[in-house]
Each structure stands twice: as structure tokens, then as C-alpha cells.
């Protein structure tokens, strides 16, 4: 059963970067929060408390976190702090969020207002960063009665969608360079050259989470419209078994493969959008993607342990570790796979939570 797999995964989880605050751990925290929210089962909250408490001290200081690094990825686990603050009222969680709030105020931006991806990636917006930051910023703004945070996050999302959209493909590119200085950036548009599935997956999750968090109004409606249009385009790009490819729009590319983290992210986005009542989003596409992951990607590892296979470990743009990541299809296919990587398992937990919530709603409707 999936619950046994998720429980074992959380029980045995080792911090991704040795205990230092990072977005990878934040992916698991999102999954545990979602499962607890959907089921009320205390084991998910217990795992979350245990793991987060290993990274913050009683005063709210965060292990391995330095705001002056201006690493946008480090904001994602802040959503777990807000969740735990609501459910436990332990003051250390609110204190820790205020450290992250300082970064939100000081983080550098491109000229039109969107955050840089990281200090070491200046003047660049990546789709990944939209998920890492903007839902947290909205949740923090609502939890602490700071409407300016909500308004700024919404503006950034709408601006980033415009900057990264490619009219010809009707998809979003992984990165945008406002200075057009990076070798991967098109000199006219500033966009990276390829559509990477997981980058779009991060963005899809950011969209659906913002639709959930924002009050009714024209901006929420606009984001829902973007989500609906993306869902229509993604429907056209599925593999025959209902998943999505690493290089999402090039099915004839040699060695292209169905990638599990992006598939889990899209499943989550479809299922949650349907639960939220976003018109024109077909939940069955999310259901089919979820079933396909169970049938094709959740398999034993040779040691009688179930593992999620076909997860790209990481991909980015620009220089890292002596390698220049040029954003071409060949580059994305060169990145290694990491079975059971949390960037796949966390979103799978989230998709399962949404599947359960839809099932509960359907059962209630039949009564």
C-alpha cells in the first residue's frame, strides 16, 4: 500500500544535505503536510515535527540557513513552519519564519520585480523559483496580516508567466535572463532553449497552490485561466501510458524518457485544480498519471523495497561544479537519475493526498 511506502520513506529519510535547511527536505515536508491535511492521520504530523525540529533550535534559529546567500530554494521549507505553527502553536516555528521573511524583503530582483533565482544566478528567473517562494510568501502574508506580501507574490507570478511563455509551443521555458548575458539565453527573448518537464511541473504546482491561497477576484481568475490553458496543452503531450517526458515536447528525441517527478507534479496539479473547481481541468488526466506511476515507476529495488524510479536527480542552467549546463535537450537527458529522490516522492505524496480528497468528496456526494 502507498501509505506503507510513504511511512517507511519518512521514517528512514536522511536529510538531503546533512541537516542543512534546503528545498529538497521541503519537498518531503509538503508531502507530509498534504497527507496529514487530507487524512488527519497523526503519523504524518509526527514525521513532520520530528524532521523539522531537527533543523531548528528552541529559539527558531535554522540550521545551515544564511539569508545573505539569497538562495530562493531555501524558502520552500518555510511552508512547513507555517503548517506546524497552525497545528502546534509552538513559538519556535513562527520565530523561524521571521528569519525567512527577512530574505523575502531583501532578496534581489530583476528590473520588473521578480526575484533573482539565486545570488550566484544574477538577473535570472527560473520556473523552479516560483514554487520555492511565491506560495510561501502568500501564506506568510495571510498568516501575519501582511497583505503587501500577498500582492507582491501575485504580481511576481503574473509577470514571470509572461516572461517565460513561448508562444510557438504554448509552454514555459525553464529560465529567463533579463541581461541576455548567459550563453543559454536567446539574445532576443532571454529564454533558455528547451522545455524541461520538471521546471513546468514546479510552475504548475505554484499556480494551483496560489489559486488555493488567493481570495476570489480577477488575479485569482487570471491564474486559474493560465492553469486551465496549461492543462489543455499538457493533455496533448502525455505518453501513451499517461506520463510526461523529461524533454516534454520532443517525443521523437532519442533516449527521451517518462520522468517521474514531473509526472507526479502534474498529477497533483490536475487533481488539486479539479478539487478547487477550476473549470476545464480534467481530473481523470491526473488520476491516469497517478495510476501510471504506480504501475510503471513504483517497483522493487532488488531488496524487497518499493522504490520510485525514473526521477531526474537535478537539472539547472549555467555553470556548476565545472560543468556548463546549456539548457539543450542533450543536456537535460545527460543528468543522472536518482531512484526515490525526494523531488519525486514528495510530489507523489501530494498527489496521493489530492486523490484521497477527491475520493472523499465523491463519496460524500453519493450519500
Amino acid at each position: 500500500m502507498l501509505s506503507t511506502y510513504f511511512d517507511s520513506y519518512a521514517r528512514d529519510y536522511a536529510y538531503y544535505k546533512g541537516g542543512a535547511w534546503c528545498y529538497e527536505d521541503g519537498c518531503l515536508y509538503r508531502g507530509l503536510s498534504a497527507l496529514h491535511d487530507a487524512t488527519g492521520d497523526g503519523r504524518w504530523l509526527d514525521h513532520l515535527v520530528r524532521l523539522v525540529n531537527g533543523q531548528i533550535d528552541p529559539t527558531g534559529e535554522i540550521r545551515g540557513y544564511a539569508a545573505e546567500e539569497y538562495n530562493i530554494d531555501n524558502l520552500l521549507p518555510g511552508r512547513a513552519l507555517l503548517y506546524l505553527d497552525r497545528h502546534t502553536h509552538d513559538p519556535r516555528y513562527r520565530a523561524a519564519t521571521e528569519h525567512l521573511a527577512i530574505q523575502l524583503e531583501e532578496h534581489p530582483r530583476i528590473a520588473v520585480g521578480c526575484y533573482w533565482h539565486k545570488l550566484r544566478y544574477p538577473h535570472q528567473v527560473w520556473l523552479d523559483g516560483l514554487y520555492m517562494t511565491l506560495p510561501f510568501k502568500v501564506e506568510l502574508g495571510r498568516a501575519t496580516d501582511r497583505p503587501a506580501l500577498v500582492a507582491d507574490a501575485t504580481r511576481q507570478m503574473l509577470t514571470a508567466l509572461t516572461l517565460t511563455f513561448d508562444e510557438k509551443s504554448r509552454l514555459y521555458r525553464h529560465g529567463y535572463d533579463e541581461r541576455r548575458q548567459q550563453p543559454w539565453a536567446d539574445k532576443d527573448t532571454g529564454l533558455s532553449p528547451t522545455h524541461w518537464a520538471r521546471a513546468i511541473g514546479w510552475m504548475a504546482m505554484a499556480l494551483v497552490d496560489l489559486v488555493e491561497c488567493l481570495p476570489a477576484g480577477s488575479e485569482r481568475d487570471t491564474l486559474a485561466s493560465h492553469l486551465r490553458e496549461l492543462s489543455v496543452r499538457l493533455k496533448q503531450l502525455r505518453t501513451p501510458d499517461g506520463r510526461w517526458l523529461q524533454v516534454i515536447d520532443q517525443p521523437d528525441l532519442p533516449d527521451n524518457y517518462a520522468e517521474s517527478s514531473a509526472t507526479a507534479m502534474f498529477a497533483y496539479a490536475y487533481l488539486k485544480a479539479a478539487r478547487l473547481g477550476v473549470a476545464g481541468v480534467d481530473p481523470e488526466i491526473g488520476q491516469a498519471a497517478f495510476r501510471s506511476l504506480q504501475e510503471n515507476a513504483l517497483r522493487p529495488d532488488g531488496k524487497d523495497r518499493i522504490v520510485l524510479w525514473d526521477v531526474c536527480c537535478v537539472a539547472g542552467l549555467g555553470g556548476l561544479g565545472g560543468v556548463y549546463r546549456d539548457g539543450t535537450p542533450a543536456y537535460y537527458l545527460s543528468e543522472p537519475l536518482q531512484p526515490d529522490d525526494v523531488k519525486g516522492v514528495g510530489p507523489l505524496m501530494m498527489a496521493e493526498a489530492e486523490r484521497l480528497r477527491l475520493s472523499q468528496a465523491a463519496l460524500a456526494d453519493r450519500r
Side-chain angles (χ1 to χ4, degrees):
M1 289 179 60
L2 272 177
S3 60
T4 301
Y5 165 65
F6 292 145
D7 193 33
S8 298
Y9 188 93
R11 182 197 63 217
D12 299 338
Y13 184 75
Y15 294 118
Y16 206 89
K17 294 177 179 173
W21 195 249
C22 64
Y23 84 93
E24 291 92 346
D25 296 342
C27 290
L28 177 59
Y29 301 164
R30 288 299 303 151
L32 292 171
S33 300
L35 287 171
H36 179 251
D37 211 30
T39 66
D41 188 332
R43 61 180 157 164
W44 310 122
L45 185 64
D46 290 344
H47 284 309
L48 185 62
V49 168
R50 171 178 55 82
L51 289 164
V52 172
N53 284 359
Q55 294 183 302
I56 61 173
D57 72 12
T59 69
E61 291 292 326
I62 303 173
R63 182 178 174 187
Y65 171 74
E68 62 273 15
E69 291 180 358
Y70 297 117
N71 182 340
I72 212 165
D73 290 342
N74 288 336
L75 296 171
L76 174 62
R79 298 180 73 182
L81 298 174
L82 292 170
Y83 190 85
L84 289 174
D85 180 56
R86 290 197 303 273
H87 286 273
T88 72
H89 308 294
D90 186 326
R92 81 178 80 180
Y93 303 126
R94 180 60 61 88
T97 62
E98 291 306 315
H99 292 298
L100 303 181
I102 293 171
Q103 182 180 337
L104 287 172
E105 292 299 317
E106 299 177 351
H107 198 98
R109 302 172 184 243
I110 66 171
V112 292
C114 297
Y115 289 133
W116 289 7
H117 189 61
K118 297 180 185 178
L119 188 63
R120 72 170 186 259
Y121 300 129
H123 306 287
Q124 300 166 43
V125 176
W126 296 10
L127 296 182
D128 322 22
L130 306 180
Y131 181 70
M132 305 301 167
T133 306
L134 301 184
F136 167 64
K137 189 167 188 174
V138 169
E139 290 180 354
L140 179 64
R142 296 192 69 177
T144 59
D145 195 25
R146 286 183 265 188
L149 299 183
V150 178
D152 182 68
T154 307
R155 282 193 299 269
Q156 286 199 49
M157 188 70 190
L158 291 168
T159 302
L161 291 172
T162 299
L163 292 176
T164 58
F165 187 66
D166 175 62
E167 291 280 353
K168 184 177 180 181
S169 65
R170 294 185 291 126
L171 290 169
Y172 298 83
R173 297 288 176 86
H174 187 179
Y176 166 79
D177 173 14
E178 71 168 337
R179 298 288 180 87
R180 278 69 166 168
Q181 292 177 335
Q182 293 298 315
W184 54 255
D186 184 275
K187 297 307 178 186
D188 294 323
T189 66
L191 295 175
S192 57
T194 306
H195 299 295
W196 178 39
R198 188 159 79 213
I200 302 171
W202 292 123
M203 188 211 71
M205 293 199 300
L207 268 175
V208 75
D209 285 2
L210 288 177
V211 167
E212 179 181 42
C213 292
L214 291 176
S218 61
E219 290 176 329
R220 183 184 186 276
D221 292 344
T222 299
L223 292 176
S225 177
H226 281 288
L227 182 58
R228 178 168 54 253
E229 290 168 8
L230 178 62
S231 76
V232 172
R233 182 67 179 113
L234 291 173
K235 180 180 179 179
Q236 301 166 345
L237 297 172
R238 293 180 299 165
T239 63
D241 63 18
R243 292 180 288 172
W244 285 271
L245 297 169
Q246 168 79 337
V247 181
I248 193 169
D249 59 339
Q250 297 191 35
D252 297 326
L253 184 67
D255 299 321
N256 207 357
Y257 62 92
E259 202 278 328
S260 292
S261 68
T263 298
M265 290 175 180
F266 292 138
Y268 167 75
Y270 272 99
L271 294 169
K272 186 168 186 174
R275 176 174 66 82
L276 296 174
V278 178
V281 177
D282 182 359
E284 178 51 34
I285 295 174
Q287 300 275 19
F290 191 86
R291 289 193 300 269
S292 187
L293 286 172
Q294 289 182 286
E295 294 167 3
N296 297 293
L298 278 169
R299 305 189 305 273
D301 64 354
K303 300 177 183 178
D304 296 323
R305 186 180 181 109
I306 297 297
V307 169
L308 181 66
W309 297 89
D310 304 321
V311 182
C312 176
C313 183
V314 70
L317 296 165
L320 183 69
V323 174
Y324 192 83
R325 302 169 298 176
D326 62 6
T328 60
Y331 158 68
Y332 287 111
L333 294 181
S334 74
E335 286 286 6
L337 303 181
Q338 179 63 49
D340 250 7
D341 191 280
V342 72
K343 294 180 287 293
V345 179
L348 187 66
M349 290 178 169
M350 295 157 60
E352 166 67 350
E354 290 301 329
R355 188 190 67 81
L356 291 171
R357 293 181 74 160
L358 275 178
S359 298
Q360 292 160 4
L363 181 62
D365 288 343
R366 289 197 295 269
R367 288 176 178 169

